[in-house]
Amino acid sequence: MEIKNAIAGTLESGDILIQIAPAENDGLAIDLDSTVAYQFGEQIKRVITETLTGLGVTRAQVKATDKGALDCTIRARVTAAAVRATGKDVWAD
Amino acid sequence: MNSIKERMALINEAAARMGKDTFKGTQEKNTTARTELTKQGAKVVTLEEAIKKTGLKDGMTVSFHHHFRGGDKVVNMVVAKLAEMGFKNLHLASSSLIDVHEPLIEHIKAGVITKISTSGLRGNLAKEISHGLMEEPVIFRSHGGRGSAIANGDLHIDVAFLGASSADPMGNACGYSRSENAKSICGSLGYALPDAQYADKVVILTDDLVDYPNTPNAISERNVDYVVVVDSVGDSSKISSGAIRDTKNPRDILLAQQAAKVIINSGYFKEGFSIQTGSGGASLAAVKFIRQSMIDKGIKASFALGGITAHMVKMHEEGLIERLIDVQSFDKVAAESLKSDPMHQEVSANEYASYDEPGSATHSLDIVILSALEVDVNFNVNVLVGSDGIIRGAIGGHPDTAGDSALSIIVCPLLRGRIPCVVDEVTTHITPGSSVDVVVTEYGIAVNPRRPELKERLEKAGLKIVDINSLKDRAKSIIGEAAPLPFGDKVVGVVMNRDGSVMDVIKNIVD
């Protein structure tokens, strides 16, 4: 799936900023910067991966700047960023 | 015949018997007008002279207060001077340390400061210490615990450097100034009073040297050795930074409303009750809701204690709170009130919250509302170490007031972002669960099983009482399972209980 640069979310406390960019290689390269990285880093990466894979995005660079977002927020921001990156409106389909 | 001449032999005999000299000659009379004479006292010296005259040596203990909170300039100024003068291995005993004290990191690295005692640590200093910056662990005490430790000798202070917003040349000092040259105001000097009383040498630093006598005084000249005039002791506009904030957060307001309902229906809300609030947004806001209820029911409080806020001052001026007992003024309104209102009393940390002083005010306290970083299912509270294992708070008067009050209420949200506030076990034990009665969250109120009668009263009033385990489970269901923190094996902090016993230790964090 072709993707372009896209962004969703904010740097507010309890939110996450997702930036998606095209990648050279296959797979998802997730760069996570989180205020709760110690305790929840792996879980956050898993949620991002699952959400993107579920939307058919399997090759992308993802920069995630997390300010303690819950999983539901992470899914929402990742979905919004993916929709903007792919131009495919998952809510309309 | 009975003249001085005839009695001389007897006088000499009496003196000899007592091992004293016989009075000889006359006393020189200084005839300078006292308005002139008192302008410059022998105690007024430069900071460097004061440090030299105190006899401070390497390895000794220097102390400070934190009444200017985020605006404090004294700690950094004095420690920089001590470093410049080549002192090493000093023990820094401040009533607390905050973000603004970050320059201490360099002085620790240089070996100027090798030991710290404090109520709390914040910002980068806290972060560095959590990562193992110091060889010796930081000793953490509550405000009451520090007062006790200073009084009983556990914490011996060699030289206290105490900032004051006014002082006369003899050393009579206050946290405010009555002169037109006033540069700063911090209100109560409560945490500095044990230092002034018990330190071997006391240096007052002031940015407003006023004429003698600077009375009513907080610190008496008889406890002061030297007075140093400086450009500024602190930025008063930053007193209410740090933990203190007036909340507009809807969740905090909801928590405050719930806490107020707990108080009103607790059985302790009656004529003559006493109350204290912690520094968290929700606990401060709770006061606003209690106020309305006091007016509606015609109930008046006998005193409000602790960190006094503008809200408390307002209620005092409205006649709803008879007296204010102030160990620390949380904002400028409180500081001004302390200066002008005789019913607004300044007290030392000992009179405020010492465990071993029967007369300390906390022993007469009915209700306290406190915040928390974490509460666990056994009602233990942590207010010092963040859920990331990094020190980020202060013990303050938390265990003192929770332990001594008739009713202690902890107000905290279930989650802060992704960080749970109700947990299986707190990261660090600060306030024992045996002294905590109620935990208020936005998902329900938990009552310590020790207090079945309280639970019954609150349920009867229609409040939603839940098991604290269900709160913990609810938090976990939202955030998932947290990975364990990467603690190392080095002890970077020791938490003292207010009775002088060791409560807990804090281990370093490894990145």
Side-chain angles (χ1 to χ4, degrees), chain B residues 223-244:
Chain B
N223 287 324
V224 176
D225 297 282
Y226 305 104
V227 177
V228 174
V229 182
V230 296
D231 286 340
S232 173
V233 291
D235 178 353
S236 310
S237 69
K238 292 184 180 161
I239 293 177
S240 54
S241 70
I244 317 295

Side-chain angles (χ1 to χ4, degrees), chain B residues 141-380:
Chain B
R141 288 188 179 88
S142 68
H143 291 320
R146 181 178 189 269
S148 292
I150 292 173
N152 69 26
D154 275 0
L155 178 56
H156 176 82
I157 298 167
D158 293 295
V159 183
F161 294 94
L162 306 175
S165 296
S166 68
D168 65 32
M170 310 303 158
N172 292 299
C174 301
Y176 48 79
S177 173
R178 296 177 193 282
S179 90
E180 66 271 22
N181 302 319
K183 284 188 185 166
S184 63
I185 181 166
C186 67
S188 177
L189 288 177
Y191 299 140
L193 295 179
D195 307 48
Q197 190 181 349
Y198 292 99
D200 288 346
K201 297 286 177 186
V202 174
V203 179
I204 296 288
L205 295 93
T206 187
D207 50 15
D208 189 10
L209 186 71
V210 298
D211 288 342
Y212 176 89
N214 186 29
T215 53
N217 55 6
I219 294 173
S220 164
E221 51 80 21
R222 65 187 303 270
N223 287 324
V224 176
D225 297 282
Y226 305 104
V227 177
V228 174
V229 182
V230 296
D231 286 340
S232 173
V233 291
D235 178 353
S236 310
S237 69
K238 292 184 180 161
I239 293 177
S240 54
S241 70
I244 317 295
R245 59 193 194 278
D246 200 1
T247 187
K248 290 182 177 65
N249 178 331
R251 185 172 64 179
D252 278 351
I253 292 169
L254 173 69
L255 289 169
Q257 282 171 330
Q258 292 298 106
K261 281 181 192 164
V262 169
I263 288 171
I264 290 157
N265 297 294
S266 65
Y268 296 100
F269 186 66
K270 49 190 181 194
E271 185 63 24
F273 78 105
S274 54
I275 188 163
Q276 172 163 357
T277 56
S279 57
S283 61
L284 290 180
V287 176
K288 291 187 192 172
F289 297 109
I290 298 162
R291 174 181 167 271
Q292 195 52 50
S293 213
M294 289 172 76
I295 295 169
D296 295 345
K297 297 186 180 179
I299 291 174
K300 290 187 174 63
S302 64
F303 70 91
L305 176 62
I308 297 296
T309 63
H311 301 307
M312 293 293 196
V313 170
K314 182 182 168 205
M315 288 167 70
H316 168 60
E317 287 170 352
E318 288 173 338
L320 293 172
I321 301 172
E322 202 177 337
R323 285 174 166 82
L324 301 174
I325 300 182
D326 190 345
V327 71
Q328 176 181 24
S329 307
F330 270 166
D331 52 44
K332 245 190 225 179
V333 174
E336 289 287 350
S337 162
L338 180 94
K339 172 180 161 184
S340 57
D341 187 339
M343 300 300 257
H344 186 157
Q345 172 75 35
E346 187 168 8
V347 290
S348 75
N350 308 64
E351 290 166 284
Y352 161 53
S354 270
Y355 168 78
D356 44 9
E357 279 202 23
S360 67
T362 48
H363 286 116
S364 300
L365 182 63
D366 280 313
I367 303 162
V368 64
I369 316 168
L370 296 160
S371 50
L373 290 172
E374 294 174 328
V375 187
D376 70 22
V377 293
N378 295 310
F379 290 83
N380 298 304

Side-chain angles (χ1 to χ4, degrees), chain A residues 13-14 35-36 38-40 43-44 47 66-71 74, chain B residues 131 387-388 417-419 478-483 485-486 509-511:
Chain A
S13 179
T35 53
V36 293
Y38 279 142
Q39 306 102 303
F40 298 106
Q43 198 174 327
I44 294 167
V47 171
D66 172 54
K67 300 290 176 185
L70 299 176
D71 287 351
I74 297 168
Chain B
H131 283 88
S387 303
D388 52 1
R418 197 169 190 146
I419 299 298
I478 298 170
I479 59 159
E481 196 73 47
L485 294 170
I509 275 284
V510 187
D511 272 328

Side-chain angles (χ1 to χ4, degrees), chain B residues 53-67:
Chain B
K53 281 168 178 270
T54 58
L56 183 71
K57 290 184 180 62
D58 290 353
M60 282 188 167
T61 300
V62 292
S63 84
F64 300 89
H65 71 70
H66 75 294
H67 284 290

